[in-house]
Amino acid sequence: MQRWHGKLAAILLVVIFVTPTLHAAGARGTAQSAAERVNGELTFEEQGVRIDGTVFTWDELLTLKVTGAAGALPSPHVLRLAGGERWHGRVVSYDADRVRFDVPEIGVVELPANTVVGIDLKPNLPWPVERRGVLERREGAAVPSQLLWIEGEEVAVDSMLGVLTISQEEVLRYTFAEADEGASHAEEDELTLISGTLIRGRMTPGQASVTVEHAVIGERSVPWSEVSAFRRRSGSVVYLADLEPVEHHTKPLLAESLPIEAFFRRTDAAGALDAWLLQPESAVTYELPTVEGPVWLRAVIAPRRRSQGTVTVRVRAGDATVWQESVAPDDALRMVDVALGTARTVTIELEYVEPIRFPSGVQLMDPLVLIGGS
């Protein structure tokens, strides 16, 4: 028995020391304030976040992206809320008045049913969708219907054929016909968890966790070990991800009818909260907020993956060119930090540099406008 106790203690000792701790020493991240953007080794401290020796206090921290964190296993269900929030977890129950949803990081939450725009009952489904007010099944056509309830392993809808009760195993998702996805969250901070959950509210970060004051579920705390990204919204910064372009211009070399998505589309990039793939020959224009005083544009630009050709990138404030550089396939990422003055629009343009090679383009990462920036 003593011999077994000794082996058990050794096993437990090994487990304790080899079990990985997320965001522990050696974790890396990218932090950004109004003054600078730094990438490097990440630690959480009482006064703020330390990145490669630079401390960003909680008050000045605008964005944080944690890289290298272990991904979570896919959650069985996704609850999609008005305004773009998505919660990964499991539906406990749904009826006409409320939905109860188990989010592993914060527990079971209860929300009014009219705040929900979609319920995915299988992981990794694409969003957004074109058809609304339908039950999508694993096999067969979507069923136009009204969701009545979800309880246990069954889903009930009211359809033209009457009330149908279907096993969850046969259902992909339900999307609501009268969903308001346009709810404004311009003043709310944003927290993305390693599970894929995205929560909006007012955030109060601390050394061990970040506290979220949510409009519906109230105050909840999430440990930093569960967080992959943090974004603070304030009156001093506007994220281009929150804006819709007001103009697109394209000049295809091989066709005249390519969609704008062929030249300008969202993508993923390590260390970035927001990223776009930009292709030449194209230009995209954003209207800037009406503010007193000058504004600045900050962004990171790098060659697109597997780029074969050099492109010219140009930034215009109104009609004036304020930044222009060439980006070659083997170039390192570079910071764009340029004054826009009192211009009301900012335009980002791409042109080929001869000889033209395919594919060519750049990744535009974390573009933001600093109000009264420097």
Side-chain angles (χ1 to χ4, degrees), residues 179-258:
D180 178 15
E181 292 187 75
S184 175
H185 288 262
E187 302 302 320
E188 293 185 323
D189 304 328
E190 187 176 289
L191 197 67
T192 305
L193 309 184
I194 60 174
S195 65
T197 290
L198 186 152
I199 304 174
R200 290 190 169 120
R202 302 310 298 178
M203 308 291 174
T204 305
Q207 183 174 4
S209 63
V210 55
T211 299
V212 184
E213 182 63 40
H214 192 271
V216 178
I217 66 171
E219 186 176 293
R220 301 295 174 103
S221 291
V222 180
W224 284 114
S225 60
E226 301 291 346
V227 174
S228 68
F230 167 86
R231 186 200 312 269
R232 172 174 281 124
R233 288 180 169 85
S234 73
S236 64
V237 61
V238 175
Y239 300 97
L240 259 61
D242 291 338
L243 305 177
E244 289 294 329
V246 293
E247 280 188 65
H248 295 109
H249 295 287
T250 62
K251 189 172 71 173
L253 296 182
L254 303 178
E256 295 298 331
S257 58
L258 292 176

Side-chain angles (χ1 to χ4, degrees), residues 235 238 287-293 295 342-345 369 371:
V238 175
E287 186 175 358
L288 300 175
T290 301
V291 296
E292 293 185 5
V295 296
T342 57
R344 295 277 58 85
T345 61
V369 173
I371 299 170

Side-chain angles (χ1 to χ4, degrees), residues 340-355:
L340 303 177
T342 57
R344 295 277 58 85
T345 61
V346 59
T347 300
I348 301 167
E349 299 178 341
L350 264 73
E351 295 178 351
Y352 284 107
V353 174
E354 294 187 355

Side-chain angles (χ1 to χ4, degrees), residues 257-274:
S257 58
L258 292 176
I260 186 59
E261 289 76 18
F263 297 89
F264 182 81
R265 68 176 184 271
R266 295 295 294 263
T267 186
D268 294 319
L273 273 72
D274 306 305

